[in-house]
Amino acid sequence: MARSKSMKTIKIDGIIIMNNPIEKFTSWWQQALKSTPLNQPNAVCVSTIDENGFPTGRFVDLKAVNEGGFVFCSYFDSAKGKHLENVPNIAMTVWWDHVGYQVRIVGRAKKISDTDADTYWQGRSRDAQLTTTSFNQSAIMRDQSDLTEKLRIAELRYSTNPIPRPENWGGYCINPISIEFLTFAETRLHLRESYERSGEQWKKQLLQP
């Protein structure tokens, strides 16, 4: 994604408003991570479209944000992976209650490169690698004990060896077409900033709360 040419900022009632939504999101994310009370500060809700045309949401771990978009990892053959294979349209919603920020993103998802997926895989803890290797996300199982047995087998198999990234695990990058930021106000006069992508630029508008 090309960087917006206009990088100026303005202030409304002491609030800094940036003209580049990617930089604005990064700034908000950094603020949200400082002294956060959240147990999962990188959790965001991504919504996909199922085979019947219904939206379905779940929380994932936001891995990175850059000019290319918003990155998260998943199984390719999970429910969301199958949804995105059929319909790449996706929405991401963030609510950082402790700082009063909400972000809504709409865009299209595409798989990241194998090289990037390998990097994220190596960044996972060994326990996370073991569970990812052992289980088939969203698949039906008979009993909870099935998971324990699958995990035991994986632990024995890789007891002294590195755990390779499964072929069905990787990442997606959400290329945004619209981003909306909401700054919560106790008066209910929330500040809503809407960015719509137009070619390589972003068109910005303020919305009524």
Side-chain angles (χ1 to χ4, degrees), residues 83-100:
H83 296 169
L84 292 173
E85 187 70 26
N86 294 324
V87 182
N89 298 344
I90 189 170
M92 187 180 98
T93 308
V94 185
W95 171 234
W96 291 309
D97 180 69
H98 62 295
V99 288

Side-chain angles (χ1 to χ4, degrees), residues 15-16 24-38 40-43 94-103 181-186 190-191 193:
I15 299 174
I16 296 177
K24 183 174 183 67
F25 183 95
T26 300
S27 175
W28 276 23
W29 194 14
Q30 291 172 349
Q31 290 180 53
L33 291 177
K34 290 180 180 178
S35 302
T36 177
L38 303 174
Q40 302 294 333
N42 294 326
V94 185
W95 171 234
W96 291 309
D97 180 69
H98 62 295
V99 288
Y101 291 159
Q102 174 186 272
V103 187
F181 298 87
L182 181 146
T183 303
F184 179 82
E186 293 290 347
H190 313 312
L191 174 62
E193 305 163 71

Side-chain angles (χ1 to χ4, degrees), residues 53-81:
F54 288 99
T56 177
R58 80 288 288 161
F59 284 89
V60 300
D61 191 49
L62 182 62
K63 296 297 185 182
V65 179
N66 52 49
E67 292 298 325
F70 303 81
V71 179
F72 67 94
C73 293
S74 178
Y75 296 87
F76 296 140
D77 53 1
S78 65
K80 59 182 168 297

Side-chain angles (χ1 to χ4, degrees), residues 62-146:
L62 182 62
K63 296 297 185 182
V65 179
N66 52 49
E67 292 298 325
F70 303 81
V71 179
F72 67 94
C73 293
S74 178
Y75 296 87
F76 296 140
D77 53 1
S78 65
K80 59 182 168 297
K82 292 176 181 177
H83 296 169
L84 292 173
E85 187 70 26
N86 294 324
V87 182
N89 298 344
I90 189 170
M92 187 180 98
T93 308
V94 185
W95 171 234
W96 291 309
D97 180 69
H98 62 295
V99 288
Y101 291 159
Q102 174 186 272
V103 187
R104 299 167 61 200
I105 297 160
V106 174
R108 296 182 179 86
K110 63 178 181 180
K111 293 179 181 178
I112 62 175
S113 68
D114 286 340
T115 299
D116 287 342
D118 287 338
T119 298
Y120 289 122
W121 177 257
Q122 294 303 321
R124 294 169 69 84
S125 68
R126 186 172 178 83
D127 285 344
Q129 290 180 344
L130 279 171
T131 55
T132 301
T133 300
S134 303
F135 309 145
N136 298 317
Q137 192 176 76
S138 301
I140 296 174
M141 65 179 183
R142 295 175 302 172
D143 189 85
Q144 189 74 11
S145 62
D146 290 350

